[in-house]
């Protein structure tokens, strides 16, 4: 699923440790009508994640509408057979999202899926939404015959790295400088991976 958003690096960000059951909490495949809610969550999550990492003018460019427009175009367009956008809901309200697709890393095998982005709105964290999204990502990858899951995270984002390592992913030694601004600004990212092959 191609969704190269301007000023929008892929980022797994989900400070979301279990606090207890949430009424009517669920995860489902996104619909085009979810695009505005996903755009709002992504803008909030990215502003928080990249504050202090990127220049303020780049962070200020993380607005809901461009994200929403990009997701709507993706959801209404011809869908990749491998790309899926999932949303976490509290009742009918979308409070988180995750996208999974085929990895395009040069060293990735054909059985590698990538967690392209994962985020939960700050007001909805610590309620299990991130964990449910990650489980759904793994299920989606397995359903497509993938045996490995990879994710790129900001090098300084200890909370997200801890969330993913607690779920069984490990830093595999790969790193990159990702261009995240039209001025050539970059952010250092580390890759985590895990086997998702059925046991």
């Amino acid at each position: 699923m191609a969704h190269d958003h301007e000023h929008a690096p892929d980022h797994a960000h989900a400070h979301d440790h279990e606090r207890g059951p949430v009424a009517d909490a669920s995860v489902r495949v996104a619909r085009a009508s979810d695009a505005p809610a996903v755009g709002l969550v992504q803008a909030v999550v990215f502003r928080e994640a990249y504050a202090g990492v990127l220049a303020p003018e780049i962070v200020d460019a993380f607005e809901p509408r461009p994200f929403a427009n990009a997701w709507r175009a993706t959801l209404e367009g011809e869908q990749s057979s491998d790309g899926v956008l999932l949303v976490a809901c509290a009742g009918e309200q979308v409070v988180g999202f995750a996208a999974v697709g085929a990895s395009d890393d040069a060293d990735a095998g054909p059985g590698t899926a990538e967690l392209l982005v994962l985020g939960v709105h700050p007001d909805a964290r610590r309620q299990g939404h991130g964990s449910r999204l990650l489980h759904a990502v793994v299920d989606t990858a397995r359903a497509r015959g993938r045996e490995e899951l990879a994710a790129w995270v900001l090098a300084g984002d200890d909370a997200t790295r801890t969330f993913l390592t607690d779920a069984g992913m490990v830093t595999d030694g790969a790193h990159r400088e990702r261009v995240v601004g039209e001025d050539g600004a970059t952010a250092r990212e580390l890759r985590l991976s895990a086997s998702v092959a059925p046991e």
Side-chain angles (χ1 to χ4, degrees):
M1 175 168 56
H3 56 272
D4 295 328
H5 308 313
E6 184 176 346
H7 299 315
D10 296 334
H11 181 62
H13 191 78
H15 307 199
D16 188 39
H17 303 290
E18 300 290 348
R19 186 175 66 184
V22 178
D24 299 323
S26 62
V27 173
R28 59 172 172 77
V29 175
R31 302 182 286 259
S33 59
D34 295 319
V38 173
L40 174 62
V41 175
Q42 187 169 8
V44 171
V45 167
F46 275 34
R47 283 186 173 188
E48 176 188 72
Y50 290 96
V53 177
L54 301 177
E57 60 270 19
I58 297 177
V59 175
D60 289 344
F62 293 150
E63 291 288 343
R65 182 171 292 179
F67 288 126
N69 289 343
W71 285 118
R72 184 179 293 106
T74 296
L75 293 167
E76 291 179 346
E78 183 176 345
Q79 297 295 298
S80 162
S81 61
D82 201 81
V84 178
L85 175 63
L86 302 163
V87 291
C89 301
E92 293 298 313
Q93 182 179 6
V94 171
V95 295
F97 71 105
V100 59
S103 172
D104 60 3
D105 290 341
D107 61 346
T112 303
E114 183 174 336
L115 172 61
L116 301 166
V117 62
L118 188 156
V120 175
H121 193 284
D123 293 345
R125 291 185 188 150
R126 310 186 74 80
Q127 297 173 28
H129 296 297
S131 296
R132 279 185 286 274
L133 281 166
L134 189 57
H135 287 139
V137 164
V138 170
D139 289 344
T140 300
R142 285 176 176 163
R144 284 156 175 73
R146 305 299 180 182
E147 298 181 348
E148 190 85 8
L149 179 67
W152 289 96
V153 300
L154 279 172
D157 190 346
D158 295 335
T160 295
R161 189 164 65 252
T162 298
F163 170 75
L164 293 175
T165 55
D166 284 352
M169 301 189 79
V170 296
T171 304
D172 64 14
H175 56 86
R176 67 185 181 187
E177 293 292 333
R178 183 178 177 85
V179 177
V180 293
E182 291 180 347
D183 62 352
T186 62
R188 185 173 177 82
E189 296 180 328
L190 305 176
R191 190 174 66 191
L192 286 74
S193 61
S195 171
V196 294
E199 296 180 357

